[in-house]
Amino acid sequence: DERAFARVALRGGYFFEKSPMPPQSGVTNFVDADRHTFSLGAGVALRQPKLSLDLHFAYSALPERVTLKKNPADVVGDYSEDGSMVNVGATLGGKFP
């Protein structure tokens, strides 16, 4: 609407990313896990002055993945990995005559 002082946009999402790494039971040790990511975002665009602000937040959960080595004499041995990641950011924009 051309009469509006500001526009507001809300966003949300989820995605799952399967790890491309095969089981590392041999001599290699590429550590990777599946990833579940949840995200939220909001944006505000003002008509006068022509400014916009976008905020985003994402949380990724990496479920535990256990690696069992075939060779009991492997230097690294068996291991597991898991964790989480957080991403937060903002973008400020403006249009000048």
Side-chain angles (χ1 to χ4, degrees):
D1 186 355
E2 290 297 318
R3 296 170 292 160
F5 173 73
R7 289 179 315 184
V8 176
L10 300 175
R11 303 169 196 95
Y14 166 82
F15 74 87
F16 172 74
E17 183 176 43
K18 181 102 173 113
S19 170
M21 285 296 138
Q24 299 294 298
S25 58
V27 297
T28 58
N29 287 298
F30 296 110
V31 179
D32 194 25
D34 297 338
R35 179 169 47 149
H36 298 270
T37 299
F38 303 88
S39 62
L40 296 172
V44 176
L46 302 179
R47 195 159 173 240
Q48 288 298 329
K50 292 189 181 264
L51 292 174
S52 63
L53 175 65
D54 285 286
L55 305 171
H56 72 267
F57 170 82
Y59 174 80
S60 296
L62 288 72
E64 183 178 35
R65 183 175 180 180
V66 177
T67 298
L68 303 174
K69 294 303 211 171
K70 289 180 183 175
N71 182 353
D74 186 282
V75 176
V76 173
D78 300 340
Y79 59 89
S80 67
E81 73 269 358
D82 64 9
S84 61
M85 298 184 291
V86 175
N87 182 303
V88 178
T91 302
L92 178 63
K95 185 173 182 182
F96 302 97

Coordinates of all heavy atoms in Angstrom, one line a residue:
D1 N 0.8 -1.2 0.0 CA 0.0 0.0 0.0 C 0.9 1.2 0.0 O 1.8 1.4 0.8 CB -0.9 0.0 1.2 CG -1.9 1.1 1.2 OD1 -1.9 2.0 0.4 OD2 -2.8 1.0 2.1
E2 N 0.6 2.1 -0.9 CA 1.4 3.4 -1.0 C 1.3 4.3 0.1 O 2.1 5.2 0.4 CB 1.1 4.1 -2.4 CG 1.5 3.4 -3.6 CD 3.1 3.2 -3.6 OE1 3.8 4.2 -3.3 OE2 3.6 2.1 -4.0
R3 N 0.2 4.2 0.9 CA 0.0 5.1 2.1 C 0.7 4.6 3.3 O 0.8 5.3 4.3 CB -1.5 5.2 2.3 CG -2.2 5.9 1.1 CD -3.7 5.8 1.3 NE -4.1 4.4 1.2 CZ -5.2 3.9 1.6 NH1 -6.1 4.7 2.2 NH2 -5.5 2.6 1.5
A4 N 1.2 3.4 3.3 CA 1.8 2.9 4.5 C 3.1 3.6 4.9 O 3.9 3.9 4.0 CB 2.0 1.4 4.3
F5 N 3.3 3.8 6.2 CA 4.5 4.4 6.6 C 5.7 3.4 6.6 O 6.8 3.7 6.3 CB 4.3 4.8 8.1 CG 5.6 5.3 8.7 CD1 6.2 6.6 8.4 CD2 6.2 4.6 9.7 CE1 7.3 7.0 9.0 CE2 7.4 5.0 10.3 CZ 7.9 6.3 9.9
A6 N 5.4 2.1 6.8 CA 6.4 1.1 6.8 C 5.8 -0.3 6.4 O 4.6 -0.5 6.5 CB 7.0 0.9 8.2
R7 N 6.7 -1.1 5.9 CA 6.3 -2.5 5.6 C 7.1 -3.4 6.5 O 8.3 -3.2 6.7 CB 6.7 -2.9 4.1 CG 5.8 -2.2 3.1 CD 6.2 -2.6 1.7 NE 7.6 -2.5 1.7 CZ 8.4 -2.7 0.6 NH1 7.8 -3.0 -0.5 NH2 9.7 -2.5 0.7
V8 N 6.5 -4.4 7.0 CA 7.1 -5.4 7.9 C 7.0 -6.8 7.3 O 5.9 -7.2 6.8 CB 6.5 -5.4 9.3 CG1 7.1 -6.4 10.2 CG2 6.6 -4.0 9.9
A9 N 8.1 -7.5 7.3 CA 8.1 -8.9 6.8 C 8.7 -9.8 7.8 O 9.7 -9.5 8.4 CB 8.9 -9.0 5.5
L10 N 8.0 -10.9 8.1 CA 8.5 -11.9 9.0 C 8.8 -13.2 8.2 O 8.1 -13.6 7.3 CB 7.4 -12.2 10.1 CG 7.0 -11.0 10.9 CD1 5.9 -11.4 11.9 CD2 8.2 -10.5 11.7
R11 N 9.9 -13.9 8.6 CA 10.3 -15.1 7.9 C 10.6 -16.2 8.9 O 11.1 -15.9 10.0 CB 11.5 -14.8 7.1 CG 11.3 -13.7 6.1 CD 12.6 -13.3 5.4 NE 12.5 -12.0 4.8 CZ 12.8 -10.8 5.4 NH1 13.3 -10.8 6.6 NH2 12.7 -9.7 4.7
G12 N 10.5 -17.4 8.5 CA 10.9 -18.5 9.3 C 11.1 -19.7 8.4 O 10.6 -19.8 7.3
G13 N 11.9 -20.6 8.9 CA 12.2 -21.8 8.0 C 12.9 -22.9 8.8 O 13.3 -22.8 9.9
Y14 N 13.0 -24.0 8.1 CA 13.7 -25.2 8.6 C 14.2 -26.0 7.4 O 13.6 -26.0 6.4 CB 12.7 -26.1 9.4 CG 13.3 -27.5 9.6 CD1 14.1 -27.8 10.7 CD2 13.0 -28.6 8.7 CE1 14.7 -29.0 10.9 CE2 13.5 -29.8 8.9 CZ 14.4 -30.0 10.0 OH 14.9 -31.3 10.2
F15 N 15.4 -26.5 7.6 CA 15.9 -27.5 6.6 C 16.8 -28.5 7.3 O 17.3 -28.3 8.3 CB 16.7 -26.8 5.4 CG 18.0 -26.3 5.8 CD1 19.1 -27.1 5.7 CD2 18.2 -25.0 6.2 CE1 20.4 -26.6 6.0 CE2 19.5 -24.5 6.5 CZ 20.6 -25.3 6.4
F16 N 16.8 -29.7 6.6 CA 17.7 -30.8 7.0 C 18.7 -31.0 5.9 O 18.4 -31.1 4.8 CB 16.8 -32.0 7.2 CG 17.7 -33.3 7.5 CD1 18.3 -33.4 8.7 CD2 17.8 -34.2 6.5 CE1 19.0 -34.6 9.0 CE2 18.6 -35.3 6.7 CZ 19.2 -35.5 8.0
E17 N 19.9 -31.2 6.3 CA 21.0 -31.5 5.4 C 21.7 -32.7 5.9 O 22.3 -32.7 6.9 CB 22.0 -30.3 5.3 CG 23.1 -30.5 4.3 CD 24.0 -29.2 4.2 OE1 24.3 -28.6 5.2 OE2 24.3 -28.9 3.0
K18 N 21.7 -33.7 5.1 CA 22.3 -35.0 5.4 C 23.8 -34.9 5.1 O 24.2 -34.3 4.1 CB 21.8 -36.1 4.5 CG 22.3 -37.5 4.7 CD 21.4 -38.3 5.6 CE 21.9 -39.7 5.7 NZ 22.4 -40.0 7.0
S19 N 24.7 -35.4 5.9 CA 26.1 -35.3 5.7 C 26.5 -36.1 4.4 O 26.0 -37.2 4.2 CB 26.9 -35.9 6.9 OG 28.2 -36.0 6.6
P20 N 27.3 -35.5 3.6 CA 27.7 -36.2 2.4 C 28.9 -37.2 2.6 O 29.2 -38.0 1.8 CB 28.2 -35.1 1.4 CG 28.7 -34.0 2.4 CD 27.8 -34.1 3.6
M21 N 29.4 -37.2 3.9 CA 30.6 -38.0 4.2 C 30.1 -39.5 4.5 O 29.2 -39.7 5.3 CB 31.3 -37.5 5.4 CG 32.1 -36.3 5.2 SD 33.5 -36.7 4.0 CE 33.4 -35.2 3.1
P22 N 30.7 -40.4 3.8 CA 30.4 -41.8 4.2 C 31.1 -42.2 5.5 O 31.9 -41.4 6.0 CB 31.1 -42.6 3.0 CG 32.2 -41.7 2.5 CD 31.7 -40.3 2.7
P23 N 30.7 -43.3 6.1 CA 31.3 -43.7 7.4 C 32.9 -43.7 7.2 O 33.4 -44.2 6.2 CB 30.8 -45.1 7.7 CG 29.4 -45.1 6.9 CD 29.7 -44.2 5.7
Q24 N 33.6 -43.2 8.2 CA 35.0 -43.1 8.2 C 35.7 -44.2 8.9 O 36.5 -44.0 9.8 CB 35.5 -41.7 8.7 CG 34.9 -40.6 8.0 CD 35.4 -40.5 6.6 OE1 36.6 -40.3 6.3 NE2 34.6 -40.6 5.6
S25 N 35.4 -45.5 8.6 CA 35.9 -46.6 9.3 C 37.3 -47.0 8.9 O 38.0 -47.8 9.6 CB 34.9 -47.8 9.2 OG 34.8 -48.1 7.8
G26 N 37.8 -46.4 7.8 CA 39.1 -46.8 7.3 C 40.2 -45.8 7.8 O 40.2 -45.5 8.9
V27 N 41.1 -45.4 6.9 CA 42.2 -44.6 7.3 C 41.9 -43.1 7.4 O 42.6 -42.3 8.0 CB 43.5 -44.8 6.4 CG1 44.0 -46.3 6.6 CG2 43.2 -44.5 5.0
T28 N 40.9 -42.7 6.7 CA 40.5 -41.2 6.7 C 39.7 -40.8 7.9 O 39.1 -41.7 8.6 CB 39.7 -40.9 5.4 OG1 38.6 -41.7 5.4 CG2 40.6 -41.1 4.2
N29 N 39.7 -39.5 8.2 CA 39.0 -39.0 9.4 C 38.3 -37.7 9.0 O 38.7 -36.6 9.6 CB 39.9 -38.8 10.6 CG 40.3 -40.2 11.2 OD1 39.4 -40.9 11.7 ND2 41.5 -40.5 11.2
F30 N 37.4 -37.7 8.1 CA 36.7 -36.5 7.7 C 35.5 -36.4 8.7 O 34.5 -37.2 8.6 CB 36.2 -36.5 6.3 CG 37.3 -36.5 5.3 CD1 37.6 -37.7 4.5 CD2 38.1 -35.4 5.1 CE1 38.6 -37.7 3.6 CE2 39.2 -35.4 4.2 CZ 39.4 -36.5 3.5
V31 N 35.5 -35.5 9.6 CA 34.5 -35.4 10.6 C 33.3 -34.5 10.1 O 33.6 -33.4 9.7 CB 35.1 -34.8 11.9 CG1 34.0 -34.7 13.0 CG2 36.2 -35.7 12.4
D32 N 32.1 -35.1 10.1 CA 31.0 -34.3 9.6 C 29.7 -35.0 10.2 O 29.7 -36.1 10.6 CB 30.9 -34.4 8.1 CG 29.9 -33.3 7.5 OD1 29.7 -32.3 8.2 OD2 29.4 -33.5 6.4
A33 N 28.7 -34.2 10.3 CA 27.4 -34.7 10.9 C 26.2 -34.1 10.1 O 26.4 -33.2 9.3 CB 27.3 -34.2 12.3
D34 N 25.1 -34.8 10.2 CA 23.8 -34.2 9.7 C 23.6 -32.9 10.3 O 24.1 -32.6 11.4 CB 22.7 -35.2 9.9 CG 22.9 -36.5 9.2 OD1 23.7 -36.6 8.2 OD2 22.2 -37.5 9.6
R35 N 22.6 -32.1 9.7 CA 22.4 -30.8 10.3 C 20.9 -30.5 10.2 O 20.3 -30.5 9.1 CB 23.2 -29.7 9.5 CG 22.9 -28.3 10.0 CD 23.9 -27.3 9.5 NE 24.2 -27.4 8.1 CZ 24.5 -26.3 7.3 NH1 24.6 -25.2 7.9 NH2 24.7 -26.5 6.0
H36 N 20.3 -30.1 11.3 CA 18.9 -29.6 11.3 C 19.0 -28.1 11.6 O 19.6 -27.7 12.6 CB 18.1 -30.2 12.5 CG 18.0 -31.7 12.4 ND1 16.9 -32.3 11.7 CD2 18.7 -32.7 12.8 CE1 17.0 -33.6 11.7 NE2 18.1 -33.9 12.4
T37 N 18.5 -27.2 10.8 CA 18.6 -25.8 10.9 C 17.2 -25.1 11.0 O 16.4 -25.4 10.1 CB 19.4 -25.1 9.8 OG1 20.7 -25.7 9.8 CG2 19.5 -23.6 10.0
F38 N 17.0 -24.3 12.0 CA 15.8 -23.5 12.2 C 16.2 -22.1 12.1 O 17.2 -21.6 12.6 CB 15.2 -23.8 13.6 CG 14.9 -25.2 13.9 CD1 15.9 -26.1 14.4 CD2 13.7 -25.7 13.6 CE1 15.6 -27.4 14.7 CE2 13.4 -27.1 13.9 CZ 14.4 -27.9 14.4
S39 N 15.4 -21.3 11.4 CA 15.7 -19.9 11.2 C 14.5 -19.0 11.4 O 13.4 -19.4 11.1 CB 16.3 -19.7 9.8 OG 15.3 -20.0 8.8
L40 N 14.8 -17.7 11.8 CA 13.8 -16.7 12.0 C 14.4 -15.4 11.4 O 15.6 -15.2 11.4 CB 13.5 -16.5 13.4 CG 12.9 -17.6 14.2 CD1 12.8 -17.3 15.7 CD2 11.5 -17.8 13.7
G41 N 13.5 -14.6 10.8 CA 14.0 -13.3 10.3 C 12.9 -12.3 10.3 O 11.7 -12.6 10.4
A42 N 13.2 -11.0 10.3 CA 12.3 -9.9 10.3 C 12.9 -8.8 9.5 O 14.1 -8.5 9.6 CB 11.9 -9.5 11.7
G43 N 12.0 -8.1 8.8 CA 12.5 -6.9 8.1 C 11.5 -5.8 8.2 O 10.3 -6.0 8.2
V44 N 12.1 -4.6 8.3 CA 11.2 -3.4 8.3 C 11.8 -2.4 7.2 O 13.0 -2.2 7.2 CB 11.3 -2.7 9.7 CG1 10.5 -1.4 9.7 CG2 10.8 -3.6 10.8
A45 N 10.9 -1.9 6.4 CA 11.2 -1.0 5.4 C 10.4 0.3 5.6 O 9.2 0.3 5.5 CB 11.0 -1.5 4.0
L46 N 11.1 1.4 5.8 CA 10.4 2.7 6.0 C 10.2 3.4 4.7 O 11.1 3.3 3.8 CB 11.2 3.6 6.9 CG 11.5 3.1 8.3 CD1 12.4 4.1 9.1 CD2 10.2 2.7 9.1
R47 N 9.1 4.1 4.5 CA 8.9 4.8 3.3 C 9.6 6.1 3.2 O 10.2 6.5 2.2 CB 7.4 5.0 3.2 CG 7.0 5.4 1.8 CD 5.5 5.1 1.6 NE 5.1 5.7 0.3 CZ 4.2 6.6 0.1 NH1 3.5 7.1 1.1 NH2 4.0 7.1 -1.1
Q48 N 9.6 6.9 4.3 CA 10.3 8.1 4.4 C 11.0 8.2 5.8 O 10.2 8.2 6.8 CB 9.4 9.3 4.2 CG 9.0 9.5 2.8 CD 10.1 9.8 1.8 OE1 11.2 10.4 2.2 NE2 10.0 9.3 0.6
P49 N 12.2 8.3 6.0 CA 13.3 8.2 5.0 C 13.3 6.7 4.4 O 12.9 5.8 5.1 CB 14.6 8.6 5.7 CG 14.3 8.1 7.1 CD 12.8 8.4 7.3
K50 N 13.9 6.6 3.3 CA 13.9 5.2 2.6 C 15.0 4.4 3.3 O 16.2 4.4 2.8 CB 14.1 5.4 1.1 CG 12.9 6.0 0.4 CD 13.1 5.9 -1.1 CE 11.9 6.5 -1.7 NZ 10.9 5.6 -2.1
L51 N 14.7 3.8 4.4 CA 15.6 2.9 5.1 C 15.0 1.6 5.3 O 13.8 1.4 5.4 CB 15.9 3.5 6.5 CG 16.7 4.8 6.6 CD1 16.8 5.3 8.0 CD2 18.1 4.6 6.0
S52 N 15.8 0.5 5.4 CA 15.4 -0.8 5.6 C 16.3 -1.5 6.6 O 17.5 -1.2 6.6 CB 15.3 -1.6 4.4 OG 16.6 -1.8 3.8
L53 N 15.8 -2.3 7.5 CA 16.5 -3.1 8.5 C 16.0 -4.5 8.4 O 14.8 -4.8 8.5 CB 16.4 -2.5 9.9 CG 17.0 -3.3 11.0 CD1 18.5 -3.2 10.8 CD2 16.6 -2.7 12.3
D54 N 17.0 -5.4 8.2 CA 16.6 -6.9 8.2 C 17.5 -7.5 9.3 O 18.7 -7.3 9.4 CB 17.0 -7.5 6.9 CG 15.9 -7.1 5.8 OD1 14.8 -7.7 5.9 OD2 16.2 -6.3 5.0
L55 N 16.8 -8.4 10.1 CA 17.5 -9.2 11.2 C 17.3 -10.6 10.9 O 16.2 -11.1 10.4 CB 16.9 -8.8 12.5 CG 16.9 -7.3 12.9 CD1 16.1 -7.1 14.2 CD2 18.3 -6.8 13.1
H56 N 18.3 -11.5 11.2 CA 18.1 -12.9 11.0 C 18.8 -13.7 12.2 O 19.8 -13.2 12.8 CB 18.7 -13.4 9.7 CG 20.1 -13.4 9.6 ND1 20.9 -12.3 9.0 CD2 21.1 -14.3 9.9 CE1 22.1 -12.6 9.1 NE2 22.3 -13.8 9.6
F57 N 18.3 -14.8 12.4 CA 18.8 -15.7 13.4 C 18.6 -17.2 12.9 O 17.6 -17.5 12.4 CB 18.0 -15.6 14.8 CG 18.4 -16.6 15.8 CD1 19.5 -16.5 16.6 CD2 17.6 -17.8 15.9 CE1 19.8 -17.5 17.5 CE2 17.9 -18.8 16.8 CZ 19.0 -18.6 17.6
A58 N 19.7 -18.0 13.1 CA 19.6 -19.4 12.7 C 20.3 -20.2 13.7 O 21.4 -19.9 14.2 CB 20.2 -19.6 11.3
Y59 N 19.7 -21.3 14.1 CA 20.3 -22.3 15.0 C 20.3 -23.7 14.3 O 19.3 -24.1 13.8 CB 19.4 -22.4 16.3 CG 19.9 -23.5 17.2 CD1 21.0 -23.3 18.0 CD2 19.3 -24.8 17.2 CE1 21.4 -24.3 18.8 CE2 19.7 -25.8 18.0 CZ 20.8 -25.5 18.8 OH 21.3 -26.5 19.6
S60 N 21.5 -24.2 14.3 CA 21.7 -25.5 13.7 C 22.1 -26.6 14.7 O 23.0 -26.3 15.5 CB 22.8 -25.5 12.6 OG 22.5 -24.6 11.5
A61 N 21.4 -27.7 14.8 CA 21.7 -28.8 15.7 C 22.3 -29.9 14.9 O 21.8 -30.3 13.8 CB 20.4 -29.3 16.4
L62 N 23.5 -30.4 15.3 CA 24.2 -31.5 14.7 C 24.1 -32.7 15.6 O 24.8 -32.7 16.6 CB 25.7 -31.1 14.4 CG 25.9 -30.1 13.3 CD1 25.5 -28.7 13.8 CD2 27.4 -30.0 12.9
P63 N 23.3 -33.7 15.3 CA 23.1 -34.8 16.1 C 24.4 -35.7 16.2 O 25.2 -35.6 15.3 CB 22.0 -35.6 15.5 CG 21.8 -35.1 14.1 CD 22.4 -33.7 14.1
E64 N 24.5 -36.4 17.2 CA 25.7 -37.2 17.4 C 25.9 -38.2 16.3 O 24.9 -38.9 15.9 CB 25.7 -37.9 18.8 CG 27.0 -38.7 19.1 CD 26.9 -39.4 20.4 OE1 25.9 -39.8 20.8 OE2 28.0 -39.5 21.0
R65 N 27.1 -38.4 15.9 CA 27.5 -39.4 14.9 C 28.7 -40.1 15.4 O 29.7 -39.5 15.8 CB 27.9 -38.7 13.5 CG 28.2 -39.7 12.4 CD 28.4 -39.0 11.1 NE 28.7 -39.9 10.1 CZ 29.0 -39.6 8.8 NH1 28.9 -38.3 8.5 NH2 29.3 -40.5 7.9
V66 N 28.6 -41.4 15.5 CA 29.7 -42.2 16.1 C 30.5 -42.9 15.0 O 29.9 -43.5 14.1 CB 29.1 -43.3 17.1 CG1 30.2 -44.2 17.6 CG2 28.4 -42.6 18.2
T67 N 31.8 -42.8 15.1 CA 32.7 -43.5 14.1 C 33.5 -44.6 14.8 O 34.1 -44.3 15.8 CB 33.7 -42.4 13.5 OG1 32.9 -41.5 12.8 CG2 34.6 -43.1 12.5
L68 N 33.3 -45.8 14.3 CA 34.0 -46.9 14.8 C 35.1 -47.4 13.7 O 34.7 -47.7 12.6 CB 33.1 -48.1 15.1 CG 32.0 -47.8 16.1 CD1 31.0 -48.9 16.2 CD2 32.5 -47.4 17.4
K69 N 36.3 -47.4 14.1 CA 37.4 -47.8 13.2 C 37.5 -49.3 13.1 O 37.3 -50.0 14.0 CB 38.7 -47.2 13.6 CG 38.8 -45.7 13.6 CD 38.5 -45.2 12.2 CE 39.1 -43.9 11.9 NZ 39.0 -43.5 10.5
K70 N 37.8 -49.7 11.8 CA 38.0 -51.2 11.6 C 39.2 -51.7 12.2 O 39.3 -52.8 12.7 CB 38.0 -51.5 10.1 CG 36.7 -51.3 9.4 CD 36.8 -51.6 7.9 CE 35.5 -51.3 7.2 NZ 35.6 -51.5 5.8
N71 N 40.3 -50.9 12.2 CA 41.6 -51.3 12.7 C 41.7 -50.9 14.2 O 41.8 -49.7 14.5 CB 42.7 -50.7 11.9 CG 44.1 -51.1 12.3 OD1 44.3 -51.8 13.3 ND2 45.1 -50.7 11.5
P72 N 41.8 -51.9 15.1 CA 42.0 -51.5 16.5 C 43.3 -50.7 16.8 O 43.4 -50.1 17.9 CB 41.9 -52.8 17.3 CG 42.1 -53.9 16.2 CD 41.8 -53.3 14.9
A73 N 44.2 -50.8 15.9 CA 45.5 -50.1 16.1 C 45.5 -48.7 15.5 O 46.5 -48.1 15.4 CB 46.7 -51.0 15.5
D74 N 44.3 -48.3 15.0 CA 44.2 -46.9 14.4 C 44.7 -45.9 15.4 O 44.3 -45.9 16.5 CB 42.8 -46.7 14.0 CG 42.6 -45.4 13.2 OD1 42.6 -44.3 13.8 OD2 42.5 -45.5 11.9
V75 N 45.5 -45.0 14.9 CA 46.1 -43.9 15.8 C 45.1 -43.0 16.4 O 45.1 -42.7 17.6 CB 47.1 -43.0 15.0 CG1 47.7 -41.9 15.8 CG2 48.2 -43.9 14.4
V76 N 44.0 -42.7 15.6 CA 42.9 -41.8 16.1 C 42.0 -42.7 17.0 O 41.5 -42.2 18.0 CB 42.2 -41.1 15.0 CG1 41.0 -40.4 15.5 CG2 43.2 -40.2 14.3
G77 N 41.6 -43.8 16.5 CA 40.7 -44.7 17.3 C 39.2 -44.2 17.0 O 39.0 -43.4 16.2
D78 N 38.3 -44.8 17.7 CA 36.9 -44.5 17.6 C 36.7 -43.1 18.2 O 37.3 -42.7 19.1 CB 36.1 -45.5 18.4 CG 36.3 -47.0 17.9 OD1 36.7 -47.2 16.8 OD2 35.9 -47.9 18.7
Y79 N 35.6 -42.5 17.6 CA 35.3 -41.1 18.1 C 33.8 -40.8 17.8 O 33.2 -41.5 17.0 CB 36.2 -40.0 17.5 CG 36.2 -40.0 16.0 CD1 35.4 -39.1 15.3 CD2 37.2 -40.7 15.3 CE1 35.4 -39.1 14.0 CE2 37.2 -40.6 13.9 CZ 36.3 -39.8 13.2 OH 36.3 -39.7 11.9
S80 N 33.3 -39.7 18.4 CA 32.0 -39.2 18.1 C 32.1 -37.7 17.9 O 33.0 -37.1 18.5 CB 31.0 -39.7 19.1 OG 31.3 -39.0 20.3
E81 N 31.1 -37.2 17.2 CA 31.0 -35.7 17.1 C 29.5 -35.3 17.2 O 28.7 -36.1 16.8 CB 31.6 -35.2 15.8 CG 30.8 -35.5 14.5 CD 31.2 -36.8 13.9 OE1 32.1 -37.6 14.3 OE2 30.5 -37.1 12.9
D82 N 29.3 -34.1 17.7 CA 28.0 -33.5 17.7 C 28.2 -32.0 18.0 O 29.4 -31.6 18.2 CB 27.1 -34.1 18.7 CG 27.5 -34.0 20.1 OD1 28.5 -33.2 20.4 OD2 26.9 -34.6 21.0
G83 N 27.2 -31.3 18.0 CA 27.3 -29.9 18.3 C 26.2 -29.0 17.8 O 25.1 -29.5 17.5
S84 N 26.4 -27.7 17.9 CA 25.4 -26.7 17.4 C 26.1 -25.5 16.9 O 27.3 -25.3 17.2 CB 24.5 -26.4 18.6 OG 25.3 -25.8 19.6
M85 N 25.4 -24.8 16.0 CA 25.9 -23.5 15.5 C 24.8 -22.5 15.6 O 23.7 -22.8 15.4 CB 26.3 -23.7 14.0 CG 27.4 -24.8 13.7 SD 27.8 -24.9 12.0 CE 26.4 -25.7 11.3
V86 N 25.3 -21.2 15.8 CA 24.3 -20.1 15.9 C 24.8 -19.0 14.9 O 26.0 -18.8 14.8 CB 24.3 -19.5 17.3 CG1 23.4 -18.3 17.4 CG2 23.8 -20.6 18.3
N87 N 23.9 -18.5 14.2 CA 24.2 -17.4 13.2 C 23.2 -16.3 13.5 O 22.0 -16.5 13.4 CB 24.1 -18.0 11.8 CG 24.4 -16.9 10.8 OD1 23.9 -15.8 10.7 ND2 25.4 -17.3 9.9
V88 N 23.8 -15.1 13.7 CA 22.9 -13.9 13.9 C 23.5 -12.8 13.1 O 24.7 -12.6 12.9 CB 23.0 -13.5 15.4 CG1 22.2 -12.2 15.7 CG2 22.5 -14.6 16.3
G89 N 22.6 -12.0 12.5 CA 23.1 -10.9 11.6 C 22.0 -9.9 11.4 O 20.8 -10.0 11.7
A90 N 22.5 -8.7 10.9 CA 21.6 -7.6 10.5 C 22.1 -6.9 9.3 O 23.3 -6.9 9.0 CB 21.5 -6.6 11.7
T91 N 21.2 -6.4 8.5 CA 21.5 -5.6 7.3 C 20.8 -4.3 7.4 O 19.5 -4.3 7.6 CB 21.2 -6.3 6.0 OG1 21.9 -7.6 6.0 CG2 21.6 -5.5 4.8
L92 N 21.5 -3.2 7.2 CA 20.8 -1.9 7.2 C 21.0 -1.3 5.8 O 22.1 -1.3 5.3 CB 21.4 -0.9 8.2 CG 20.9 0.5 8.3 CD1 19.4 0.5 8.7 CD2 21.7 1.3 9.3
G93 N 20.0 -0.8 5.2 CA 20.1 -0.3 3.8 C 19.4 1.1 3.7 O 18.5 1.4 4.5
G94 N 19.8 1.8 2.7 CA 19.1 3.1 2.5 C 19.2 3.5 1.1 O 20.1 3.1 0.3
K95 N 18.2 4.3 0.7 CA 18.2 4.8 -0.7 C 18.3 6.3 -0.6 O 17.5 7.0 0.0 CB 16.9 4.4 -1.4 CG 16.9 4.7 -2.9 CD 15.7 4.2 -3.5 CE 15.7 4.5 -5.0 NZ 14.5 4.0 -5.7
F96 N 19.3 6.8 -1.3 CA 19.5 8.3 -1.3 C 19.2 8.8 -2.7 O 19.5 8.2 -3.7 CB 21.0 8.6 -0.9 CG 21.3 8.0 0.4 CD1 22.0 6.8 0.5 CD2 21.0 8.6 1.6 CE1 22.3 6.2 1.7 CE2 21.3 8.1 2.8 CZ 21.9 6.9 2.9
P97 N 18.7 10.1 -2.7 CA 18.3 10.7 -4.0 C 19.5 10.9 -4.9 O 20.6 10.8 -4.7 CB 17.7 12.0 -3.7 CG 17.8 12.2 -2.2 CD 18.4 10.9 -1.6

